[in-house]
C-alpha cells in the first residue's frame, strides 16, 4: 500500500520541528509566504490561516486585516502566540488548535482562507480543500502555497520513493496537480484563478481559487481561463 500521512504522526513530527522550524523553514518558504500574504491583502477583511505554524507570516499582514490562525501542533502554536505577544500583533484575533479537515468555524465566516505548505501535510487533502471552500464567503478566495509533485519522470519516481521517509517527517512528496484538478471538478462553487510557480525551482506553487457566489455560476464562468505561470 502507498505510504500516506497520519494526523497524529504529523502533529508529533511538527512538535519536534517546532524549536528549529523558523531557522530551517523560515528562509526556504519566505518568498511563498510573502506572495500569499500579498494576494490575501488584495481582498483583506477576516483571514483564516490554516496550518499557521509558528506564525512566520503574521507580521506581514496589514494592520487592517484580522487574522485567525489554526494548527494541529500546539508546540508550533506556542511560538506563534509568543510572536504575536512580542511583536504586538493586535490584528491577530486568535490562535488555536484546529484541524484543517474539520474546521470549527461557521460556513462563509472568512473573506480569505490562506493555507501555506499545509495541504500536503494533511491525511485527506481533498477534505481539507472542501473545508476551505465551506468557511470562505462567496466572492472570497482560497490561497494556497504548496508543493506540486511531478506526474511522471525521474522526479515523480523519486518523490514516490521518498514518501515513506517524508510522511514520517510530516509531509507527502507526491501530490500532483491532477489531484487538484480532479478535486476542483467535483467541488461546487470554486474556480481556479491562478497557479504560479514559485522560484527558485518551481516545485512549489501559489494557487488561488475563487469561491463563486453560487454553484450555478461555476458553469457561467467556465470559459474564463486561469492564469498559469511557470517559475
Ligand atoms: C510546513 S508547516 C507550514 C507552517 C506555516 N504555514 C509556514 O508557512 O511556515 C505545516 C504546518 O501545518 C500544520 N498541520 C499539519 N497538519 C495539519 C492539520 N490537519 N490541520 C492543521 N494544521 C496542520 C503543521 O503542524 C505545521 O505547522
Amino acid at each position: 500500500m502507498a505510504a500516506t500521512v497520519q494526523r497524529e504522526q504529523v502533529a508529533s513530527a511538527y512538535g519536534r520541528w517546532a524549536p528549529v522550524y523558523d531557522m530551517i523553514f523560515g528562509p526556504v518558504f519566505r518568498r511563498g509566504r510573502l506572495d500569499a500574504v500579498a494576494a490575501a491583502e488584495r481582498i483583506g477583511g477576516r483571514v483564516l490561516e490554516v496550518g499557521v505554524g509558528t506564525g512566520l507570516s503574521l507580521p506581514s499582514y496589514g494592520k487592517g486585516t484580522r487574522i485567525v490562525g489554526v494548527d494541529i501542533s500546539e508546540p508550533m502554536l506556542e511560538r506563534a502566540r509568543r510572536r504575536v505577544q512580542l511583536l504586538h500583533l493586535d490584528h491577530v484575533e486568535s490562535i488555536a488548535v484546529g484541524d484543517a479537515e474539520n474546521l470549527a468555524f461557521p460556513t462563509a465566516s472568512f473573506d480569505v482562507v490562506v493555507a501555506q505548505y499545509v495541504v500536503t501535510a494533511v491525511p485527506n487533502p481533498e477534505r481539507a480543500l472542501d473545508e476551505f471552500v465551506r468557511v470562505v464567503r462567496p466572492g472570497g478566495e482560497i490561497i494556497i502555497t504548496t508543493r506540486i509533485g511531478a506526474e511522471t519522470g525521474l522526479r515523480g519516481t523519486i518523490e514516490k520513493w521518498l514518501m515513506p521517509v517524508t510522511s514520517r517527517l510530516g509531509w507527502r512528496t507526491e501530490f500532483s496537480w491532477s489531484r487538484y484538478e480532479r478535486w476542483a471538478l467535483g467541488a461546487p462553487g470554486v474556480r481556479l484563478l491562478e497557479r504560479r510557480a514559485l522560484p527558485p525551482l518551481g516545485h512549489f506553487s501559489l494557487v488561488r481559487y475563487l469561491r463563486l457566489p453560487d454553484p450555478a455560476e461555476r458553469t457561467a464562468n467556465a470559459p474564463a481561463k486561469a492564469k498559469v505561470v511557470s517559475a
Side-chain angles (χ1 to χ4, degrees):
M1 205 178 83
T4 187
V5 293
Q6 310 284 338
R7 187 172 295 105
E8 296 69 27
Q9 205 173 28
V10 171
S12 70
Y14 281 101
R16 290 192 299 277
W17 280 119
V20 292
Y21 183 87
D22 290 4
M23 206 173 60
I24 295 172
F25 295 102
V28 181
F29 294 150
R30 193 179 136 75
R31 169 66 192 272
R33 282 190 205 98
L34 290 174
D35 284 10
V37 170
E41 281 289 323
R42 283 206 295 267
I43 302 162
R46 190 167 184 241
V47 175
L48 174 65
E49 265 243 14
V50 183
V52 67
T54 61
L56 280 166
S57 62
L58 296 175
S60 306
Y61 286 96
K63 294 291 176 199
T65 305
R66 284 168 299 137
I67 317 292
V68 172
V70 294
D71 199 285
I72 203 86
S73 163
E74 181 58 37
M76 293 287 277
L77 290 177
E78 274 168 28
R79 282 167 169 78
R81 290 193 197 99
R82 209 175 306 154
R83 191 184 307 274
V84 169
Q85 216 169 19
L86 278 174
L87 301 180
H88 306 288
L89 303 177
D90 300 334
H91 59 303
V92 178
E93 208 177 286
S94 67
I95 297 282
V97 170
D99 181 1
E101 290 183 35
N102 286 293
L103 295 170
F105 302 103
T107 297
S109 49
F110 294 95
D111 297 287
V112 188
V113 171
V114 175
Q116 308 195 50
Y117 311 105
V118 62
V119 170
T120 52
V122 304
N124 302 292
E126 288 84 357
R127 198 182 300 164
L129 292 168
D130 285 346
E131 274 293 83
F132 302 168
V133 175
R134 182 183 67 76
V135 301
V136 81
R137 68 162 167 82
E141 280 189 27
I142 297 156
I143 297 166
I144 295 166
T145 51
T146 188
R147 187 172 204 291
I148 307 279
E151 306 274 350
T152 54
L154 181 63
R155 182 156 81 90
T157 308
I158 292 171
E159 285 169 357
K160 281 193 185 71
W161 180 71
L162 283 174
M163 265 301 284
V165 181
T166 60
S167 57
R168 279 198 294 277
L169 296 174
W171 62 85
R172 52 160 68 72
T173 39
E174 48 79 45
F175 195 78
S176 63
W177 181 245
S178 59
R179 226 164 132 177
Y180 282 95
E181 285 179 321
R182 274 199 302 277
W183 167 77
L185 277 176
V190 291
R191 175 155 58 88
L192 178 69
L193 290 176
E194 182 185 12
R195 174 188 164 190
R196 185 197 317 160
L198 294 166
L201 297 173
H203 293 185
F204 289 87
S205 291
L206 184 138
V207 180
R208 290 165 53 226
Y209 289 102
L210 173 69
R211 170 78 165 89
L212 293 170
D214 81 56
E217 220 167 304
R218 186 159 62 134
T219 325
N221 285 304
K225 290 270 292 169
K227 203 167 121 192
V228 177
V229 186
S230 302

